[in-house]
Amino acid sequence: MKVLVVVDDDRVSELLRFYLRPLGFEIVRYRNPIKALDNLEEIEPDAVVVSARDYPRHWKPIAVAMRSLRPKDKCAIILMKGEVFPFEEAAKAMHLGVNGVVRDALDDREEVDHFQRLLKRYVDVDEGRRAERVAPSPWDRIDFVFSHPRSLTPITGRVETLSSLGISFSPDNLALVADVEIGETVPDCSLRVGADIVDVSCKVVRSGKVVAFSFTRLAPGDAERIEGYLRSCPERRMRALLKNS
């Protein structure tokens, strides 16, 4: 599956990559909307994500051209809006066959869930390839610790979501990560999944109250180990419910 991302902001692009890769998408990113428009037929995307903030005029011809090639149920078009998105623009989006509009901050879990639900509703996500992010439950044993890339201070906190491709994490002490920058490499990280300890290297793709990382290095077999543990989450939940009933 292929998704065309037309976004100028590198931070938004990295966040989109962070949330799209676990769904099995190959990502084609353009900064130049004219080039994206010219190459639509060649790319043949299964989904198109366009920043209405970056390209308030160009998203419309992209939507028109895409709809001339594929209908709404064959290719999802999702607009990333800024803080302001006038009613008139929303009406135009509906008229032009846009499937949905989400905020481009992607710093709200509900907004991220809405974004991923839109894709899953309109795109036939391959369940066999999907590495969906899972939010740990009380019956899961998932922990994450990393060393600050410069001070080497250990950073502890709570895992928010995990997949074999990345992790989002709420630090216990926000002051310790205030200077950790998007795009920075964090080579010294430890992830516990059940009884296993996995050493990983990461890249920061989101900062703030919740820090998101994409994995840049995993030892052979560790991705499968993580996926296997996450697949067994429903079984652990059932065992916990039976034990407490």
Side-chain angles (χ1 to χ4, degrees):
M1 295 181 300
K2 195 179 296 182
V3 58
L4 171 64
V5 173
V6 189
V7 171
D8 184 59
D9 190 315
D10 287 336
R11 185 186 68 85
V12 174
S13 177
E14 282 298 316
L15 283 173
L16 286 169
R17 189 177 300 274
F18 181 74
Y19 289 113
L20 286 167
R21 283 182 62 214
L23 299 178
F25 282 105
E26 174 189 349
I27 300 161
V28 180
R29 188 243 181 133
Y30 280 86
R31 277 195 175 90
N32 188 325
I34 302 301
K35 288 185 178 180
L37 185 60
D38 290 342
N39 292 317
L40 276 181
E41 193 166 356
E42 179 184 344
I43 297 169
E44 294 185 331
D46 299 284
V48 177
V49 181
V50 186
S51 172
R53 183 203 292 265
D54 294 338
Y55 311 111
R57 290 183 298 140
H58 292 97
W59 69 261
K60 301 175 186 72
I62 290 175
V64 170
M66 193 67 250
R67 283 293 165 254
S68 72
L69 297 171
R70 304 184 72 181
K72 287 181 70 171
D73 60 340
K74 299 298 182 182
C75 178
I77 300 176
I78 299 176
L79 292 184
M80 308 292 292
K81 69 174 182 176
E83 294 300 321
V84 178
F85 193 68
F87 173 80
E88 293 78 7
E89 291 292 274
K92 290 176 185 175
M94 182 178 297
H95 176 70
L96 295 176
V98 170
N99 297 76
V101 180
V102 298
R103 287 192 295 113
D104 60 8
L106 288 181
D107 55 1
D108 184 305
R109 186 65 211 174
E110 290 186 7
E111 201 72 18
V112 172
D113 288 343
H114 174 52
F115 173 64
Q116 292 184 324
R117 282 196 302 270
L118 274 171
L119 285 170
K120 294 174 190 177
R121 179 178 178 184
Y122 292 103
V123 181
D124 186 17
V125 175
D126 185 345
E127 296 291 337
R129 293 172 54 208
R130 189 173 75 187
E132 186 172 3
R133 299 193 185 282
V134 174
S137 299
W139 45 84
D140 294 319
R141 191 181 185 190
I142 300 175
D143 299 295
F144 184 69
V145 178
F146 70 95
S147 296
H148 189 286
R150 291 179 298 283
S151 70
L152 302 183
T153 302
I155 310 295
T156 60
R158 183 181 72 253
V159 174
E160 299 290 341
T161 63
L162 173 67
S163 81
S164 61
L165 298 175
I167 189 168
S168 61
F169 175 82
S170 294
D172 290 329
N173 188 338
L174 285 174
L176 294 179
V177 297
D179 62 342
V180 174
E181 299 179 352
I182 294 171
E184 195 163 13
T185 297
V186 184
D188 189 11
C189 312
S190 291
L191 170 67
R192 175 189 289 278
V193 283
D196 295 317
I197 303 294
V198 178
D199 292 324
V200 299
S201 293
C202 300
K203 182 173 74 172
V204 180
V205 296
R206 188 173 91 198
S207 59
K209 292 182 179 179
V210 177
V211 183
F213 302 90
S214 61
F215 297 145
T216 57
R217 177 187 58 80
L218 281 172
D222 281 345
E224 290 79 7
R225 189 172 290 111
I226 294 170
E227 289 175 355
Y229 187 82
L230 295 179
R231 280 196 301 269
S232 63
C233 284
E235 298 173 14
R236 284 191 296 279
R237 179 180 186 277
M238 183 61 68
R239 288 198 297 269
L241 292 174
L242 290 173
K243 183 177 179 180
N244 294 327
S245 62

